[in-house]
Amino acid sequence: MAAGFLSRERIVAPPGWSRWLIPPAALSIHLAIGQAYAWSVFKPPLEAGMHISGVESALPFTLGIIMLGLSAALFGTKVDANGPRWAMVVSSACFVAGFLISALGLYLRQYWLVVVGYGFVGGIGLGIGYISPVSTLIKWFPDRPGLSTGIAIMGFGGGALIASPLTTQLLTAFGGAGKTPDVNGIAQTFLVMGIIYAVFMAVGWLLIRVPAEGWKPAGWDPAAQRVGALISTANVSARNAIKTPQFWLLWVVLCFNVTAGIGILERAAPIFTDFFPGTAGVAAAAAGFVAILSLANSLGRILWSSTSDYLGRKNMYRIYLGVGALLYLAVTLTTNGNKVVFLLCALLILSFYGAGFSTVPAYLRDLFGTYQVGAIHGRLLTAWSAAGVLGPLLVNAIADSQIAAGVAGPGRYTASFTIMIVLLVIGFICNELIRPVNAKFHEPATENAGAAA
């Protein structure tokens, strides 16, 4: 019986298939779903056109990030079992449907449909799409797992660099921008973007392939691969992985590293304005600061993740967390005394934030093997959902209380930055406590051989 179009058997690569076609396939998915980072472009026209508050305009994005973590955790095992093409098609369907439902909601003037469409349905597409290429990339690049996952996850960080100008141009063209935006114009923007992303994401699920059983890169000898105390040759199932202390230690590491990055990223423009209020053209400078941080976030995902192939994953997280804490300390102590120091610290913190996402799949592969690594990654991403609430809540709540108390300038952020330092130190300690997984959690050797193919 012929294998179905979406089945894993249908996409086994023939001899001679170039593994370098896999990162572009992954990128087509991640660049698309990375649009989520450009949601802020929709906020002003939605607030003006639908007469809603800033909190209400943020609901689709907030729900989307929550659903990203939950769907990645719930469907991670299904993704590994059915293969990357199935996952990418489901992701595309949900993500695109989110845009179409949102367009319908705006045409009907029913904002709750935007929340349900983009946030709930589209958020499921975010989660499944985010983890869909991870285990496949690791199997194609057993010699460079940090590089391969870094390339793909860099796309998620850089998706806003494409989506932001695209959204702005479409809103302007359809009359959905300005102080009195046409709500139908905003709806048309959602509709057109949904169609664009449907085509763009199709490249990924048409191009994706899995390696044949027994395949390995030319000239690569598994016996001679880099070994270390934490690099396991055994495999652990997703069911057993969450029973290990290593999983939960790494959960805290990821959660607190992400919290520290979101602490600056989510409130970047106000932070710059409060630190340097006398800067000429401060609004434009703050916008430029946000753009540079987004670039650092994206580039850090490939630069530091690739470096982890040489320095090791644990050492890289020592840098992300330890150096990150020192950078926050430097900003807290120097405040606005030196703009160059402030900018360098902020850029490095955001590069570590992005790198934390792209390095963690390879860290999971080192600890738990390639068997169900996508499902384990999905469960770990619940740390992102938690951090997505924790980071902005800490920084915004403390800043608002300081503003209400009449505090001005960098003093508004001293308490929240100090909390970030503490969280990063706790994350550093958790990273130091990570040890090899106990052999009692390993899968039988015979099952490893078949499942990892």
Side-chain angles (χ1 to χ4, degrees):
M1 185 175 182
F5 178 73
L6 300 182
S7 69
R8 180 183 293 274
E9 293 76 15
R10 185 69 175 265
I11 57 172
V12 174
W17 185 270
S18 174
R19 63 175 177 165
W20 291 103
L21 292 173
I22 306 305
L27 270 173
S28 73
I29 301 297
H30 274 237
L31 281 170
I33 63 177
Q35 180 278 336
Y37 275 139
W39 174 256
S40 60
V41 180
F42 279 117
K43 283 171 64 67
L46 284 172
E47 291 166 17
M50 297 295 290
H51 308 291
I52 57 177
S53 68
V55 173
E56 289 172 315
S57 70
L59 283 176
F61 173 79
T62 302
L63 181 57
I65 294 300
I66 292 172
M67 290 308 301
L68 186 158
L70 292 179
S71 61
L74 290 172
F75 297 109
T77 304
K78 193 82 170 175
V79 168
D80 269 352
N82 290 356
R85 175 173 283 176
W86 175 88
M88 289 177 172
V89 169
V90 172
S91 170
S92 302
C94 291
F95 188 66
V96 171
F99 277 92
L100 302 184
I101 294 170
S102 297
L104 177 62
L106 290 169
Y107 276 123
L108 299 176
R109 303 302 191 269
Q110 298 293 320
Y111 183 66
W112 67 271
L113 279 172
V114 180
V115 178
V116 171
Y118 187 93
F120 185 81
V121 179
I124 294 173
L126 287 178
I128 295 176
Y130 191 88
I131 63 173
S132 61
V134 170
S135 61
T136 302
L137 282 164
I138 287 175
K139 289 168 185 175
W140 274 110
F141 292 86
D143 50 338
R144 300 294 301 279
L147 170 67
S148 60
T149 56
I151 291 173
I153 294 176
M154 175 185 68
F156 191 85
L161 297 177
I162 296 173
S164 183
L166 173 63
T167 306
T168 301
Q169 289 184 15
L170 289 174
L171 286 170
T172 302
F174 295 133
K179 293 183 178 180
T180 56
D182 178 6
V183 177
N184 287 343
I186 306 174
Q188 286 177 283
T189 300
F190 273 98
L191 177 62
V192 171
M193 289 186 72
I195 295 170
I196 291 172
Y197 282 129
V199 175
F200 193 73
M201 296 175 81
V203 175
W205 49 260
L206 287 172
L207 197 59
I208 196 69
R209 295 290 186 277
V210 294
E213 185 174 353
W215 177 89
K216 61 181 181 180
W220 181 70
D221 180 9
Q225 67 177 313
R226 182 183 181 275
V227 295
L230 291 179
I231 301 179
S232 175
T233 56
N235 288 298
V236 180
S237 69
R239 181 184 64 255
N240 283 332
I242 61 174
K243 299 176 184 177
T244 67
Q246 288 84 354
F247 176 88
W248 294 107
L249 288 169
L250 197 52
W251 192 97
V252 174
V253 165
L254 181 63
C255 181
F256 287 176
N257 186 65
V258 172
T259 299
I262 287 181
I264 283 186
L265 184 63
E266 195 272 341
R267 199 180 167 90
I271 286 175
F272 185 89
T273 303
D274 289 335
F275 267 70
F276 306 102
T279 303
V282 65
F289 177 61
V290 174
I292 293 173
L293 289 185
S294 297
L295 185 62
N297 173 20
S298 182
L299 292 179
R301 295 172 186 242
I302 179 67
L303 175 64
W304 299 122
S305 183
S306 299
T307 305
S308 76
D309 286 330
Y310 302 98
L311 298 184
R313 257 58 78 172
K314 188 168 186 174
N315 285 334
M316 292 310 300
Y317 276 92
R318 283 170 172 152
I319 294 172
Y320 304 157
L321 300 160
V323 176
L326 294 176
L327 292 169
Y328 261 115
L329 180 63
V331 171
T332 304
L333 294 177
T334 60
T335 63
N336 57 358
N338 190 311
K339 190 179 293 185
V340 174
V341 171
F342 173 84
L343 289 174
L344 286 176
C345 289
L347 289 174
L348 284 172
I349 289 170
L350 260 295
S351 75
F352 293 161
Y353 161 80
F357 286 116
S358 57
T359 309
V360 83
Y363 208 162
L364 291 172
R365 175 259 198 185
D366 291 348
L367 289 168
F368 302 110
T370 57
Y371 176 50
Q372 295 193 340
V373 69
I376 299 169
H377 185 216
R379 286 159 172 75
L380 192 74
L381 287 180
T382 54
W384 187 359
S385 295
V389 175
L390 181 62
L393 182 65
L394 281 173
V395 175
N396 288 316
I398 294 173
D400 288 346
S401 67
Q402 295 296 310
I403 292 170
V407 177
R412 293 176 175 177
Y413 304 98
T414 301
S416 55
F417 285 0
T418 302
I419 292 174
M420 297 302 172
I421 294 170
V422 173
L423 293 180
L424 286 169
V425 170
I426 294 172
F428 185 91
I429 294 171
C430 288
N431 185 55
E432 291 302 305
L433 293 175
I434 294 176
R435 298 289 185 268
V437 175
N438 192 303
K440 69 180 181 180
F441 295 107
H442 294 170
E443 294 297 301
T446 53
E447 186 173 343
N448 288 344

